[in-house]
Amino acid sequence: MKTNKKYVIGNWKMNPMEEQEARNLLREVERGAEEVLGKVEVVVCPPTIFLAELQHSSVSVKIGAQNVFWEDSGAFTGEVSVVMLKRLGVGWAILGHSERRGYLGESDEMVNRKLHAVLRHKLRAVVCVGETEKERREELAEQVIVRQLEQGLAEVSADSLLNAVVIAYEPVWAIGSGVVPTADDIMSVNLLIKKTLHRIYGQREVVEGAVIIYGGSVVVDNVRELVGKTGMQGVLVGGASLRAGEFVSIAKIMGDLDQE
Ligand code: PGA
């Protein structure tokens, strides 16, 4: 997946409340982002209940799920399989978001099983890693990120990683808080992730080709600073992805970054 292509992925979380609002939001994003789609992969991840409608009405922007289950079908109450998503045409899934890890007890092993299901059915995954505030205070951030990568990517081939996985560094304390790491900190984590990938895969192509993005309180006013010089190839955007105009502006800034 090594290209200069940038990734701008919107995580709508449990919003908006109405399908009509979801449709309008998608329409506005599509209209605004059209001119950058050659340079920027724009993906929006609505709540599961809107996936079918938005997948059918989307023209250019890619649609992703916020979660998947690892089995294809069967007695798994409340879950949605990758096969079901694939049949709808959904091409992406966010895995291991800290809200799922925190509120729903999602473990690295579960993230790994979900990732294998996504890869088996040829969707693309955004695998989230990042330390909590407590882990940061206890200076465990590096250890946590390395563990999440090693266990989350277990038995994932270099090819799959390069072609179908985006790694999102999302410090949990930065999510929804308006507090962001410094560009230097983000750059260090980018290097840590690359170093870890090198240890896992032992191949330079993986280190150079892996797509790594940043997420956590990204808004139009800080995206240049957070991504410009940190080696990150994109952003995972929560709150600001619900404001179509701002989300589009973020995508445009990302599209222009190489030229600046
Ligand atoms: P935020 O969320 O942009 O609202 O901080 C990011 C995320 O949770 O992916």
Side-chain angles (χ1 to χ4, degrees):
M1 204 144 63
K2 188 56 197 170
T3 59
N4 279 334
K5 193 150 204 179
K6 300 292 192 294
Y7 292 79
V8 174
I9 301 174
N11 175 9
W12 292 1
K13 309 192 180 185
M14 206 164 68
N15 302 289
M17 298 306 284
E18 305 285 342
E19 185 175 280
Q20 185 60 45
E21 282 178 81
R23 237 187 279 133
N24 292 345
L25 184 51
L26 173 66
R27 193 175 327 115
E28 280 182 61
V29 169
E30 290 208 295
R31 210 177 285 144
E34 205 178 337
E35 62 187 84
V36 297
L37 292 178
K39 296 184 279 187
V40 184
E41 181 95 358
V42 179
V43 183
V44 299
C45 303
T48 311
I49 195 162
F50 303 139
L51 278 172
E53 170 58 27
L54 295 200
Q55 178 60 40
H56 289 136
S57 55
S58 82
V59 184
S60 52
V61 162
K62 302 284 188 331
I63 305 295
Q66 297 172 16
N67 176 42
V68 301
F69 193 62
W70 55 78
E71 296 291 345
D72 291 350
S73 67
F76 304 102
T77 302
E79 296 298 327
V80 171
S81 78
V82 180
V83 177
M84 293 166 174
L85 294 168
K86 192 185 173 85
R87 293 202 176 153
L88 280 185
V90 169
W92 285 80
I94 297 173
L95 303 181
H97 189 278
S98 64
E99 284 148 19
R100 295 201 57 84
R101 292 179 190 263
Y103 295 124
L104 292 145
E106 209 163 283
S107 64
D108 294 321
E109 193 213 336
M110 287 157 83
V111 173
N112 181 250
R113 292 178 81 172
K114 291 177 180 203
L115 178 55
H116 280 284
V118 165
L119 296 173
R120 195 162 66 238
H121 295 293
K122 308 258 179 296
L123 272 72
R124 296 173 77 182
V126 182
V127 176
C128 303
V129 300
E131 78 285 2
T132 62
E133 171 65 45
K134 181 165 179 285
E135 288 159 346
R136 177 167 82 134
R137 250 185 292 118
E138 293 171 0
E139 297 186 1
L140 294 171
E142 286 201 10
Q143 201 176 310
V144 168
I145 295 164
V146 168
R147 187 205 70 221
Q148 288 174 336
L149 287 170
E150 284 176 349
Q151 298 185 10
L153 298 176
E155 307 297 324
V156 169
S157 70
D159 251 18
S160 295
L161 182 83
L162 290 177
N163 294 314
V165 179
V166 168
I167 296 169
Y169 170 53
E170 293 209 302
V172 181
W173 48 272
I175 293 176
S177 64
V179 182
V180 292
T182 63
D184 280 351
D185 288 342
I186 295 175
M187 199 183 329
S188 319
V189 174
N190 186 289
L191 291 175
L192 172 70
I193 293 172
K194 285 181 189 289
K195 222 167 66 189
T196 309
L197 293 178
H198 189 257
R199 226 196 17 264
I200 299 173
Y201 292 97
Q203 296 173 29
R204 191 141 53 90
E205 308 84 82
V206 176
V207 177
E208 286 168 0
V211 178
I212 308 169
I213 68 173
Y214 169 79
S217 291
V218 173
V219 290
V220 69
D221 291 333
N222 65 15
V223 63
R224 226 182 234 102
E225 167 77 11
L226 294 175
V227 175
K229 296 183 178 68
T230 58
M232 292 291 180
Q233 218 175 316
V235 281
L236 179 53
V237 186
S241 71
L242 296 168
R243 303 185 288 272
E246 180 163 358
F247 187 63
V248 165
S249 299
I250 290 171
K252 288 184 179 163
I253 291 170
M254 288 301 308
D256 287 340
L257 271 183
D258 285 340
Q259 276 103 284
E260 286 177 3

